[in-house]
CSV table of all heavy atoms in Angstrom, one decimal:
chain,number,residue,atom,x,y,z
A,1,GLU,N,46.9,26.7,-23.9
A,1,GLU,CA,48.1,26.0,-23.4
A,1,GLU,C,48.8,26.9,-22.5
A,1,GLU,O,49.1,28.0,-22.7
A,1,GLU,CB,49.0,25.6,-24.6
A,1,GLU,CG,50.1,24.7,-24.2
A,1,GLU,CD,51.0,24.3,-25.4
A,1,GLU,OE1,50.6,24.7,-26.5
A,1,GLU,OE2,51.9,23.6,-25.2
A,2,ASN,N,49.2,26.4,-21.3
A,2,ASN,CA,50.0,27.1,-20.3
A,2,ASN,C,49.3,28.2,-19.7
A,2,ASN,O,49.8,29.0,-18.9
A,2,ASN,CB,51.3,27.6,-20.9
A,2,ASN,CG,52.2,26.5,-21.3
A,2,ASN,OD1,52.3,25.5,-20.7
A,2,ASN,ND2,52.9,26.8,-22.5
A,3,LEU,N,48.0,28.4,-19.8
A,3,LEU,CA,47.2,29.5,-19.4
A,3,LEU,C,45.9,29.1,-18.7
A,3,LEU,O,45.1,28.4,-19.3
A,3,LEU,CB,46.9,30.5,-20.6
A,3,LEU,CG,46.0,31.8,-20.3
A,3,LEU,CD1,46.8,32.6,-19.2
A,3,LEU,CD2,45.8,32.7,-21.5
A,4,TRP,N,45.8,29.6,-17.5
A,4,TRP,CA,44.5,29.3,-16.7
A,4,TRP,C,43.8,30.6,-16.3
A,4,TRP,O,44.5,31.7,-16.1
A,4,TRP,CB,44.9,28.5,-15.5
A,4,TRP,CG,45.2,27.1,-15.8
A,4,TRP,CD1,44.5,26.0,-15.7
A,4,TRP,CD2,46.5,26.7,-16.1
A,4,TRP,NE1,45.2,24.8,-16.0
A,4,TRP,CE2,46.4,25.2,-16.3
A,4,TRP,CE3,47.7,27.3,-16.5
A,4,TRP,CZ2,47.6,24.5,-16.8
A,4,TRP,CZ3,48.9,26.5,-16.9
A,4,TRP,CH2,48.8,25.2,-17.1
A,5,GLY,N,42.5,30.5,-16.0
A,5,GLY,CA,41.7,31.7,-15.6
A,5,GLY,C,40.9,31.4,-14.4
A,5,GLY,O,40.6,30.2,-14.1
A,6,LEU,N,40.6,32.5,-13.7
A,6,LEU,CA,39.8,32.5,-12.5
A,6,LEU,C,39.1,33.8,-12.3
A,6,LEU,O,39.7,34.8,-12.4
A,6,LEU,CB,40.7,32.1,-11.3
A,6,LEU,CG,40.1,32.2,-9.9
A,6,LEU,CD1,39.0,31.2,-9.7
A,6,LEU,CD2,41.2,32.1,-8.8
A,7,GLU,N,37.8,33.7,-11.9
A,7,GLU,CA,37.1,35.0,-11.5
A,7,GLU,C,36.6,34.9,-10.1
A,7,GLU,O,35.8,33.9,-9.8
A,7,GLU,CB,35.9,35.2,-12.5
A,7,GLU,CG,36.3,35.5,-13.9
A,7,GLU,CD,35.1,35.7,-14.8
A,7,GLU,OE1,33.9,35.2,-14.5
A,7,GLU,OE2,35.2,36.4,-15.8
A,8,ILE,N,37.2,35.8,-9.2
A,8,ILE,CA,36.8,35.8,-7.9
A,8,ILE,C,35.4,36.4,-7.6
A,8,ILE,O,35.2,37.5,-8.0
A,8,ILE,CB,37.8,36.4,-6.9
A,8,ILE,CG1,39.2,35.7,-7.0
A,8,ILE,CG2,37.4,36.5,-5.5
A,8,ILE,CD1,40.3,36.3,-6.3
A,9,ASP,N,34.5,35.6,-7.0
A,9,ASP,CA,33.2,36.1,-6.7
A,9,ASP,C,33.3,36.6,-5.2
A,9,ASP,O,33.3,35.9,-4.3
A,9,ASP,CB,32.1,35.0,-6.7
A,9,ASP,CG,30.7,35.4,-6.5
A,9,ASP,OD1,30.6,36.4,-5.7
A,9,ASP,OD2,29.8,34.8,-7.0
A,10,SER,N,33.4,38.0,-5.1
A,10,SER,CA,33.6,38.6,-3.8
A,10,SER,C,32.5,38.4,-2.9
A,10,SER,O,32.8,38.1,-1.7
A,10,SER,CB,33.8,40.2,-4.1
A,10,SER,OG,32.7,40.7,-4.7
A,11,GLU,N,31.3,38.4,-3.3
A,11,GLU,CA,30.1,38.2,-2.4
A,11,GLU,C,30.2,36.7,-1.8
A,11,GLU,O,30.1,36.4,-0.6
A,11,GLU,CB,28.9,38.4,-2.9
A,11,GLU,CG,28.6,39.9,-3.3
A,11,GLU,CD,28.7,40.8,-2.1
A,11,GLU,OE1,28.1,40.3,-1.0
A,11,GLU,OE2,29.1,41.9,-2.1
A,12,ARG,N,30.5,35.7,-2.7
A,12,ARG,CA,30.6,34.4,-2.3
A,12,ARG,C,31.8,34.1,-1.4
A,12,ARG,O,31.7,33.3,-0.5
A,12,ARG,CB,30.7,33.5,-3.6
A,12,ARG,CG,30.7,32.0,-3.2
A,12,ARG,CD,30.4,31.2,-4.5
A,12,ARG,NE,30.3,29.8,-4.1
A,12,ARG,CZ,29.5,28.9,-4.8
A,12,ARG,NH1,28.8,29.3,-5.8
A,12,ARG,NH2,29.6,27.6,-4.4
A,13,GLU,N,32.9,34.8,-1.7
A,13,GLU,CA,34.1,34.7,-0.8
A,13,GLU,C,33.7,35.1,0.6
A,13,GLU,O,34.1,34.5,1.6
A,13,GLU,CB,35.2,35.6,-1.3
A,13,GLU,CG,35.9,34.9,-2.6
A,13,GLU,CD,36.5,33.6,-2.4
A,13,GLU,OE1,37.0,33.4,-1.2
A,13,GLU,OE2,36.6,32.7,-3.2
A,14,ALA,N,33.0,36.2,0.7
A,14,ALA,CA,32.6,36.8,2.0
A,14,ALA,C,31.6,35.7,2.8
A,14,ALA,O,31.9,35.6,3.9
A,14,ALA,CB,32.0,38.1,1.8
A,15,ASP,N,30.8,35.2,2.1
A,15,ASP,CA,29.8,34.3,2.7
A,15,ASP,C,30.6,33.0,3.1
A,15,ASP,O,30.3,32.5,4.2
A,15,ASP,CB,28.7,33.9,1.7
A,15,ASP,CG,27.7,35.0,1.4
A,15,ASP,OD1,27.6,35.9,2.1
A,15,ASP,OD2,27.1,34.9,0.3
A,16,SER,N,31.5,32.6,2.2
A,16,SER,CA,32.3,31.4,2.5
A,16,SER,C,33.2,31.7,3.9
A,16,SER,O,33.3,30.8,4.7
A,16,SER,CB,33.1,31.0,1.4
A,16,SER,OG,33.9,29.9,1.7
A,17,HIS,N,33.7,32.9,3.9
A,17,HIS,CA,34.6,33.2,5.0
A,17,HIS,C,33.8,33.2,6.3
A,17,HIS,O,34.2,32.7,7.3
A,17,HIS,CB,35.3,34.6,4.7
A,17,HIS,CG,36.1,35.1,5.9
A,17,HIS,ND1,37.2,34.6,6.3
A,17,HIS,CD2,35.8,36.1,6.8
A,17,HIS,CE1,37.8,35.1,7.2
A,17,HIS,NE2,36.9,36.1,7.7
A,18,ILE,N,32.6,33.9,6.3
A,18,ILE,CA,31.9,34.0,7.5
A,18,ILE,C,31.4,32.5,7.9
A,18,ILE,O,31.3,32.3,9.1
A,18,ILE,CB,30.6,34.8,7.3
A,18,ILE,CG1,31.1,36.2,7.1
A,18,ILE,CG2,29.5,34.7,8.3
A,18,ILE,CD1,31.7,36.9,8.3
A,19,SER,N,31.0,31.7,6.9
A,19,SER,CA,30.6,30.4,7.2
A,19,SER,C,31.7,29.5,7.9
A,19,SER,O,31.4,28.8,8.9
A,19,SER,CB,30.1,29.7,6.0
A,19,SER,OG,29.8,28.3,6.3
A,20,THR,N,33.0,29.7,7.4
A,20,THR,CA,34.0,29.0,8.1
A,20,THR,C,34.4,29.5,9.5
A,20,THR,O,34.5,28.6,10.3
A,20,THR,CB,35.3,29.2,7.2
A,20,THR,OG1,35.1,28.8,5.9
A,20,THR,CG2,36.5,28.6,7.9
A,21,VAL,N,34.2,30.8,9.7
A,21,VAL,CA,34.4,31.3,11.0
A,21,VAL,C,33.3,30.8,12.0
A,21,VAL,O,33.5,30.5,13.1
A,21,VAL,CB,34.3,32.9,11.0
A,21,VAL,CG1,34.4,33.5,12.4
A,21,VAL,CG2,35.5,33.4,10.3
A,22,LYS,N,32.0,30.7,11.6
A,22,LYS,CA,31.0,30.2,12.2
A,22,LYS,C,31.2,28.8,12.7
A,22,LYS,O,31.1,28.4,13.9
A,22,LYS,CB,29.6,30.2,11.5
A,22,LYS,CG,29.0,31.5,11.4
A,22,LYS,CD,27.7,31.4,10.6
A,22,LYS,CE,26.9,32.7,10.5
A,22,LYS,NZ,25.7,32.7,9.7
A,23,GLN,N,31.7,27.9,11.8
A,23,GLN,CA,31.9,26.5,12.1
A,23,GLN,C,33.1,26.4,13.1
A,23,GLN,O,33.1,25.6,14.0
A,23,GLN,CB,32.3,25.9,10.8
A,23,GLN,CG,31.3,25.7,9.9
A,23,GLN,CD,31.6,25.0,8.5
A,23,GLN,OE1,32.7,24.5,8.4
A,23,GLN,NE2,30.8,25.3,7.5
A,24,THR,N,34.1,27.3,13.0
A,24,THR,CA,35.2,27.2,13.9
A,24,THR,C,34.8,27.6,15.2
A,24,THR,O,35.1,27.0,16.3
A,24,THR,CB,36.5,28.1,13.4
A,24,THR,OG1,36.8,27.8,12.1
A,24,THR,CG2,37.5,28.1,14.4
A,25,MET,N,34.0,28.8,15.5
A,25,MET,CA,33.5,29.2,16.8
A,25,MET,C,32.6,28.2,17.4
A,25,MET,O,32.7,28.1,18.6
A,25,MET,CB,32.8,30.6,16.5
A,25,MET,CG,33.7,31.7,16.1
A,25,MET,SD,35.0,32.0,17.4
A,25,MET,CE,34.0,32.5,18.8
A,26,LYS,N,31.9,27.5,16.6
A,26,LYS,CA,30.9,26.5,17.2
A,26,LYS,C,31.6,25.3,17.8
A,26,LYS,O,31.0,24.6,18.6
A,26,LYS,CB,29.8,26.2,16.1
A,26,LYS,CG,28.9,27.2,15.9
A,26,LYS,CD,27.8,26.8,14.8
A,26,LYS,CE,26.9,28.0,14.5
A,26,LYS,NZ,25.9,27.6,13.4
A,27,THR,N,32.9,25.0,17.4
A,27,THR,CA,33.7,24.0,18.0
A,27,THR,C,34.2,24.4,19.3
A,27,THR,O,34.6,23.6,20.1
A,27,THR,CB,34.8,23.6,17.1
A,27,THR,OG1,35.7,24.6,17.0
A,27,THR,CG2,34.3,23.2,15.7
A,28,LEU,N,34.1,25.8,19.6
A,28,LEU,CA,34.7,26.2,20.9
A,28,LEU,C,33.6,26.6,22.0
A,28,LEU,O,34.1,27.0,23.0
A,28,LEU,CB,35.5,27.5,20.5
A,28,LEU,CG,36.6,27.3,19.5
A,28,LEU,CD1,37.2,28.6,19.2
A,28,LEU,CD2,37.6,26.3,19.9
A,29,VAL,N,32.3,26.5,21.6
A,29,VAL,CA,31.3,26.8,22.6
A,29,VAL,C,30.2,25.7,22.7
A,29,VAL,O,30.2,24.8,21.9
A,29,VAL,CB,30.6,28.2,22.2
A,29,VAL,CG1,31.6,29.3,22.1
A,29,VAL,CG2,29.9,28.1,20.9
A,30,ALA,N,29.4,25.9,23.7
A,30,ALA,CA,28.2,24.9,23.9
A,30,ALA,C,27.2,25.2,22.8
A,30,ALA,O,27.0,26.3,22.4
A,30,ALA,CB,27.7,25.0,25.3
A,31,PRO,N,26.3,24.2,22.5
A,31,PRO,CA,25.3,24.4,21.5
A,31,PRO,C,24.3,25.5,21.9
A,31,PRO,O,23.9,26.2,20.9
A,31,PRO,CB,24.4,23.1,21.6
A,31,PRO,CG,25.6,22.1,21.9
A,31,PRO,CD,26.5,22.8,22.8
A,32,LYS,N,24.2,25.8,23.1
A,32,LYS,CA,23.3,27.0,23.4
A,32,LYS,C,23.7,28.4,23.0
A,32,LYS,O,23.0,29.3,22.8
A,32,LYS,CB,23.1,27.0,25.0
A,32,LYS,CG,24.2,27.4,25.7
A,32,LYS,CD,23.9,27.5,27.3
A,32,LYS,CE,25.1,28.1,28.1
A,32,LYS,NZ,24.7,28.2,29.5
A,33,MET,N,25.0,28.4,22.6
A,33,MET,CA,25.5,29.6,22.1
A,33,MET,C,25.5,29.7,20.6
A,33,MET,O,25.9,30.9,20.0
A,33,MET,CB,27.0,29.9,22.6
A,33,MET,CG,27.1,29.9,24.1
A,33,MET,SD,25.9,31.0,24.9
A,33,MET,CE,26.4,32.5,24.1
A,34,TYR,N,25.1,28.7,19.8
A,34,TYR,CA,25.1,28.8,18.3
A,34,TYR,C,24.4,29.9,17.7
A,34,TYR,O,24.7,30.5,16.8
A,34,TYR,CB,24.7,27.4,17.9
A,34,TYR,CG,25.5,26.2,18.1
A,34,TYR,CD1,25.2,25.0,17.6
A,34,TYR,CD2,26.8,26.4,18.7
A,34,TYR,CE1,26.0,23.8,17.8
A,34,TYR,CE2,27.7,25.3,18.9
A,34,TYR,CZ,27.3,24.0,18.5
A,34,TYR,OH,28.1,23.0,18.7
A,35,HIS,N,23.2,30.1,18.3
A,35,HIS,CA,22.3,31.2,17.8
A,35,HIS,C,22.9,32.5,17.9
A,35,HIS,O,22.9,33.3,17.0
A,35,HIS,CB,20.9,31.2,18.6
A,35,HIS,CG,20.1,32.3,18.1
A,35,HIS,ND1,19.3,32.3,17.0
A,35,HIS,CD2,19.8,33.5,18.7
A,35,HIS,CE1,18.7,33.4,16.8
A,35,HIS,NE2,18.9,34.1,18.0
A,36,GLU,N,23.6,32.8,19.0
A,36,GLU,CA,24.2,34.1,19.2
A,36,GLU,C,25.5,34.2,18.3
A,36,GLU,O,25.6,35.3,17.6
A,36,GLU,CB,24.8,34.2,20.8
A,36,GLU,CG,25.3,35.5,21.0
A,36,GLU,CD,24.4,36.7,20.8
A,36,GLU,OE1,23.2,36.5,20.9
A,36,GLU,OE2,24.9,37.8,20.7
A,37,ILE,N,26.2,33.1,18.1
A,37,ILE,CA,27.3,33.2,17.1
A,37,ILE,C,26.7,33.5,15.7
A,37,ILE,O,27.3,34.3,15.0
A,37,ILE,CB,28.1,31.9,17.1
A,37,ILE,CG1,28.9,31.8,18.4
A,37,ILE,CG2,28.9,31.8,15.9
A,37,ILE,CD1,29.6,30.5,18.5
A,38,ASP,N,25.7,32.8,15.3
A,38,ASP,CA,25.1,33.1,14.0
A,38,ASP,C,24.6,34.5,13.9
A,38,ASP,O,24.9,35.2,12.9
A,38,ASP,CB,23.9,32.2,13.7
A,38,ASP,CG,24.3,30.8,13.4
A,38,ASP,OD1,25.4,30.6,13.0
A,38,ASP,OD2,23.5,29.8,13.7
A,39,ARG,N,24.1,35.1,14.9
A,39,ARG,CA,23.5,36.5,14.9
A,39,ARG,C,24.7,37.4,14.7
A,39,ARG,O,24.6,38.4,14.0
A,39,ARG,CB,22.6,36.7,16.2
A,39,ARG,CG,21.9,38.0,16.1
A,39,ARG,CD,21.2,38.3,17.4
A,39,ARG,NE,22.1,38.6,18.5
A,39,ARG,CZ,22.5,39.9,18.7
A,39,ARG,NH1,22.2,40.9,17.9
A,39,ARG,NH2,23.3,40.1,19.8
A,40,GLN,N,25.6,37.3,15.6
A,40,GLN,CA,26.8,38.2,15.6
A,40,GLN,C,27.6,38.2,14.2
A,40,GLN,O,27.9,39.3,13.7
A,40,GLN,CB,27.8,37.8,16.6
A,40,GLN,CG,27.2,38.1,18.1
A,40,GLN,CD,27.1,39.5,18.5
A,40,GLN,OE1,27.6,40.4,17.8
A,40,GLN,NE2,26.4,39.8,19.5
A,41,LEU,N,27.8,37.0,13.7
A,41,LEU,CA,28.6,36.8,12.6
A,41,LEU,C,27.7,37.3,11.2
A,41,LEU,O,28.3,37.9,10.3
A,41,LEU,CB,29.1,35.5,12.3
A,41,LEU,CG,30.3,35.2,13.3
A,41,LEU,CD1,30.7,33.8,13.2
A,41,LEU,CD2,31.4,36.1,13.0
A,42,ASP,N,26.5,37.2,11.2
A,42,ASP,CA,25.5,37.6,10.2
A,42,ASP,C,25.7,39.2,10.2
A,42,ASP,O,25.6,39.8,9.1
A,42,ASP,CB,24.1,37.2,10.4
A,42,ASP,CG,24.0,35.7,10.1
A,42,ASP,OD1,24.9,35.1,9.4
A,42,ASP,OD2,23.0,35.1,10.5
A,43,LEU,N,25.7,39.8,11.3
A,43,LEU,CA,25.9,41.2,11.3
A,43,LEU,C,27.2,41.7,10.8
A,43,LEU,O,27.3,42.6,10.1
A,43,LEU,CB,25.6,41.7,12.8
A,43,LEU,CG,24.2,41.6,13.4
A,43,LEU,CD1,24.2,42.0,14.9
A,43,LEU,CD2,23.3,42.7,12.7
A,44,ALA,N,28.2,40.9,11.2
A,44,ALA,CA,29.6,41.2,10.8
A,44,ALA,C,29.7,41.1,9.2
A,44,ALA,O,30.5,41.8,8.7
A,44,ALA,CB,30.6,40.3,11.5
A,45,ARG,N,28.9,40.2,8.7
A,45,ARG,CA,29.0,40.0,7.2
A,45,ARG,C,28.8,41.3,6.4
A,45,ARG,O,29.3,41.5,5.4
A,45,ARG,CB,27.9,39.0,6.9
A,45,ARG,CG,27.7,38.8,5.3
A,45,ARG,CD,28.9,38.3,4.6
A,45,ARG,NE,28.5,38.2,3.2
A,45,ARG,CZ,28.6,39.2,2.3
A,45,ARG,NH1,28.7,40.4,2.8
A,45,ARG,NH2,28.2,39.0,1.0
A,46,HIS,N,28.0,42.1,7.0
A,46,HIS,CA,27.5,43.4,6.4
A,46,HIS,C,28.4,44.6,6.8
A,46,HIS,O,28.1,45.8,6.4
A,46,HIS,CB,26.1,43.7,6.6
A,46,HIS,CG,25.2,42.6,6.2
A,46,HIS,ND1,25.1,42.4,4.7
A,46,HIS,CD2,24.4,41.6,6.7
A,46,HIS,CE1,24.2,41.3,4.6
A,46,HIS,NE2,23.9,40.9,5.8
A,47,SER,N,29.4,44.4,7.7
A,47,SER,CA,30.2,45.5,8.2
A,47,SER,C,31.2,45.9,7.0
A,47,SER,O,31.7,45.0,6.3
A,47,SER,CB,30.9,45.1,9.5
A,47,SER,OG,31.8,44.1,9.2
A,48,PRO,N,31.7,47.2,7.0
A,48,PRO,CA,32.6,47.6,6.1
A,48,PRO,C,33.9,46.9,6.1
A,48,PRO,O,34.4,46.6,7.2
A,48,PRO,CB,32.9,49.1,6.5
A,48,PRO,CG,31.8,49.5,7.3
A,48,PRO,CD,31.2,48.3,8.1
């Protein structure tokens, strides 16, 4: 009663964040650039 819990999955949060950025960037460029956006952000996913 009056108490809730949550466990943040850090890896899933990072994947979700990168996925959201990808979707946003793809609304700003032509389809021919989608592959490059995926490549760049997949690399960024593993950066410190």
Side-chain angles (χ1 to χ4, degrees):
E1 186 177 0
N2 298 322
L3 180 57
W4 289 260
L6 168 68
E7 292 179 338
I8 295 178
D9 185 331
S10 56
E11 294 297 325
R12 184 165 184 149
E13 287 295 326
D15 290 339
S16 175
H17 175 72
I18 291 296
S19 176
T20 300
V21 174
K22 283 182 180 180
Q23 293 173 16
T24 301
M25 290 299 297
K26 287 177 181 179
T27 65
L28 306 175
V29 301
K32 70 177 183 179
M33 300 308 302
Y34 289 178
H35 174 73
E36 183 63 18
I37 285 175
D38 287 336
R39 189 183 74 85
Q40 292 288 347
L41 289 173
D42 286 341
L43 290 173
R45 166 64 179 83
H46 302 288
S47 63

